[in-house]
């Protein structure tokens, strides 16, 4: 997708600090880390702008992203971690290319409800 930062990173047109790469998925360090470990895991292809566009057509790639997250968590010996995806500007999404934040290395305790 033209003008998509993450498509350019996936294509190597914008440099990134890569943590994992295969034919379909890339993981790289967030430029503005919110935790000591803050990786972004993306499908290389622009299959969806965000989670609201996940369908049976692209969900295998979503599963693949989570497999990569589990692999990285194991390799990095992460004791606890959080996977976050922001959908839409109201949720703070700034890059409309489906991606998952993998956060770890600080207290991530969250009280819901
Ligand atoms: P979100 O707000 O959920 O759309 O997350 C987008 C993240 O992408 C944000 O934490 C900052 C990061 N980011 C934006 N541009 C770049 C870039 O050029 N390189 C890297 N490594 N991260 C980027």
């Amino acid at each position: 997708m033209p003008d998509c930062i993450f498509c350019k990173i996936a294509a190597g047109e914008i440099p990134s600090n890569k943590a994992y790469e295969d034919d379909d998925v890339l993981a790289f360090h967030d430029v503005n880390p919110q935790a000591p470990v803050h990786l972004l895991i993306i499908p290389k292809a622009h299959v969806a702008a965000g989670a609201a566009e996940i369908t049976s057509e692209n969900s295998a790639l979503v599963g693949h992203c989570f497999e990569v997250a589990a692999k990285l968590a194991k390799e990095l010996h992460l004791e606890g971690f959080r996977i976050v995806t922001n959908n839409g500007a109201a949720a703070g999404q700034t890059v409309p290319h489906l991606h998952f934040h993998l956060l770890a290395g600080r207290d991530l305790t969250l009280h819901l409800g």
Side-chain angles (χ1 to χ4, degrees):
M1 169 102 27
D3 296 331
C4 172
I5 293 171
F6 286 179
C7 283
K8 288 181 178 167
I9 287 175
E13 292 164 16
I14 293 176
S16 67
N17 185 2
K18 294 177 187 176
Y20 174 87
E21 181 172 23
D22 63 31
D23 287 347
D24 300 313
V25 170
L26 174 68
F28 55 99
H29 293 264
D30 195 294
V31 76
N32 182 24
Q34 302 301 307
V37 176
H38 187 168
L39 296 169
L40 297 170
I41 303 172
I42 68 167
K44 287 184 172 178
H46 198 104
V47 293
E53 294 181 6
I54 294 172
T55 65
S56 56
E57 303 294 312
N58 59 32
S59 60
L61 274 171
V62 175
H64 192 153
C65 286
F66 276 77
E67 284 178 41
V68 170
K71 177 181 166 61
L72 286 167
K74 198 171 287 180
E75 284 176 6
L76 297 171
H77 306 289
L78 303 182
E79 206 174 302
F81 59 89
R82 177 172 295 149
I83 297 170
V84 174
T85 190
N86 298 319
N87 187 88
Q93 185 179 13
T94 55
V95 180
H97 177 129
L98 182 65
H99 57 279
F100 301 95
H101 299 256
L102 175 61
L103 299 152
R106 66 166 168 81
D107 181 11
L108 294 163
T109 309
L110 179 67
H111 302 283
L112 297 172

